[in-house]
């Protein structure tokens, strides 16, 4: 009851911010030559995050499958921040080969990397399998980001060591992660078949967001073992209408969002938690945590399981390293 009241009233938490805080309110100037990669920055929360970081002095890398939309985002930001440096690059997170190509092209720029925001998200209403043999929502929301992060980690660790500025990774998850229960890999195996009878769009989305939280915990553990000056945290941005609902635009969708309007955040409010976790100096050395409304919160019991995080990591390594298309056999899922 208290959490609901705080959300509706916008009462600040221990951080001094709450559900009504905006991305602009929670950020301040960034160090010189600060470089950030933000996926899914062509609209919604990602676009607002990019705009605010550019205003604070960040050099932005905007990877996108839709280069026209990315160029339009770049132009909008430059019209407000004329001295901003923004680089648009091609990336399709549902394709592992595209992720590898993007990282190779980014490395050729010889730029530092201080911040990685894994923000892009997809909700596939219709069942689809990627070229790599993985269910589309899981591949886009989690596995592509897993590989992207894996390939950029060394650059981030190196940048932090050279500059003395802590590197940060932010995984954008959702409270919907708590809706998933059951065996993660078994269900992934079932829905990663060409003719799946077990596909439920909402459950698949919840699975992908659960994977984001588990990825955060395991990566944080590994960074601590390395002694790396890089942190990783995940966030629930809140309920907001974005282009994530684009497959269901129409009267019913409009009606539902109108009826729930008092519970919705504005896009500047929804981007606040991402920007807070990405930049606020109070979070120095804070890692492996889950944030809601700019304050630390608790994920689901399954999301907090170290054994599930390690199990998913091992499976993910297999999926991204396979030389041929991989379809998980639920009967042979990792124990």
């Amino acid at each position: 009851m208290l959490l609901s009241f705080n959300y509706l009233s916008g009462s600040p938490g221990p951080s001094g911010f709450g559900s009504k805080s905006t991305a602009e309110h929670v950020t301040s100037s960034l160090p010189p030559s600060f470089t950030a990669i933000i996926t899914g920055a062509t609209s919604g929360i990602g676009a607002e995050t990019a705009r605010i970081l550019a205003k604070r002095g960040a050099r932005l890398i905007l990877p996108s499958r839709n280069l026209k939309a990315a160029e339009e985002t770049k132009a909008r930001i430059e019209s407000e921040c004329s001295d901003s440096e923004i680089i648009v690059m091609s990336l399709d997170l549902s394709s592992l080969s595209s992720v590898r190509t993007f990282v190779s092209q980014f490395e050729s720029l010889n730029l530092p990397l201080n911040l990685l925001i894994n923000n892009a998200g997809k909700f596939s209403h219709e069942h689809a399998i990627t070229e790599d043999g993985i269910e589309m929502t899981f591949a886009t929301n989690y596995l592509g980001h897993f590989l992207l992060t894996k390939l950029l980690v060394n650059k981030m660790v190196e940048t932090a060591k050279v500059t003395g500025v802590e590197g940060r990774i932010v995984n954008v998850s959702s409270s919907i992660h708590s809706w998933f229960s059951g065996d993660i890999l078994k269900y992934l195996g079932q829905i990663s078949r060409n003719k799946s009878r077990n596909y439920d769009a909402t459950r698949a989305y919840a699975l992908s967001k659960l994977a984001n939280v588990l990825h955060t915990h395991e990566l944080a553990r590994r960074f601590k073992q390395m002694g790396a000056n890089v942190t990783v945290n995940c966030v629930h941005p809140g309920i907001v209408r974005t282009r994530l609902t684009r497959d269901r635009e129409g009267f019913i969708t409009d009606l539902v969002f109108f009826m729930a309007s008092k519970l919705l955040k504005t896009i500047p409010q929804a981007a606040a938690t991402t920007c807070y976790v990405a930049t606020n100096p109070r979070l120095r050395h804070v890692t492996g945590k889950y944030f809601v409304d700019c304050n630390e919160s608790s994920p689901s019991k399954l999301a907090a399981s170290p054994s599930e995080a390690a199990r998913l990591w091992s499976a993910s390594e297999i999926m991204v390293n396979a030389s041929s298309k991989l379809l998980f056999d639920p009967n042979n899922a990792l124990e």
Side-chain angles (χ1 to χ4, degrees), residues 110 192 198 214:
N110 294 316
S192 290
N198 299 291
L214 291 170

Side-chain angles (χ1 to χ4, degrees), residues 129-267:
I129 303 295
T130 71
E131 65 187 36
D132 301 294
I134 305 297
E135 187 276 322
M136 182 63 73
T137 297
F138 185 86
T140 305
N141 295 357
Y142 166 69
L143 193 63
H145 283 128
F146 174 85
L147 179 59
L148 178 67
T149 305
K150 173 184 169 69
L151 297 178
L152 291 172
V153 158
N154 287 341
K155 171 63 73 173
M156 296 197 72
V157 171
E158 176 189 349
T159 298
K161 186 175 182 179
V162 170
T163 63
V165 176
E166 179 182 80
R168 294 189 183 183
I169 298 171
V170 181
N171 290 329
V172 178
S173 181
S174 168
S175 62
I176 290 175
H177 81 269
S178 64
W179 294 13
F180 186 90
S181 61
D183 189 303
I184 296 170
L185 298 184
K186 183 176 181 180
Y187 184 63
L188 176 60
Q190 292 170 348
I191 63 175
S192 290
R193 297 185 180 281
N194 287 322
K195 294 183 179 180
S196 174
R197 297 180 181 178
N198 299 291
Y199 185 72
D200 178 292
T202 301
R203 193 175 187 216
Y205 183 74
L207 170 63
S208 71
K209 291 304 180 178
L210 171 62
N212 292 148
V213 184
L214 291 170
H215 177 217
T216 299
H217 291 322
E218 180 63 14
L219 183 56
R221 186 187 70 80
R222 289 169 180 255
F223 277 145
K224 286 179 180 178
Q225 279 190 335
M226 293 168 58
N229 188 23
V230 180
T231 65
V232 54
N233 292 289
C234 58
V235 305
H236 164 55
I239 307 170
V240 60
R241 185 171 187 178
T242 69
R243 289 294 294 163
L244 192 65
T245 62
R246 58 185 170 270
D247 292 339
R248 286 293 184 272
E249 296 288 349
F251 175 75
I252 298 299
T253 303
D254 291 340
L255 179 62
V256 170
F257 276 97
F258 174 76
M259 293 174 66
S261 60
K262 295 300 182 183
L263 300 176
L264 298 180
K265 286 186 174 185
T266 64
I267 287 177

Side-chain angles (χ1 to χ4, degrees), residues 32-66:
S33 302
F34 190 93
T35 303
I37 294 176
I38 311 171
T39 68
T42 57
S43 64
I45 296 169
E48 177 66 3
T49 299
R51 184 183 76 86
I52 294 301
L53 292 181
K55 286 187 69 173
R56 300 298 182 245
R59 175 196 291 118
L60 301 181
I61 310 297
L62 304 185
S64 178
R65 186 166 54 92
N66 186 337

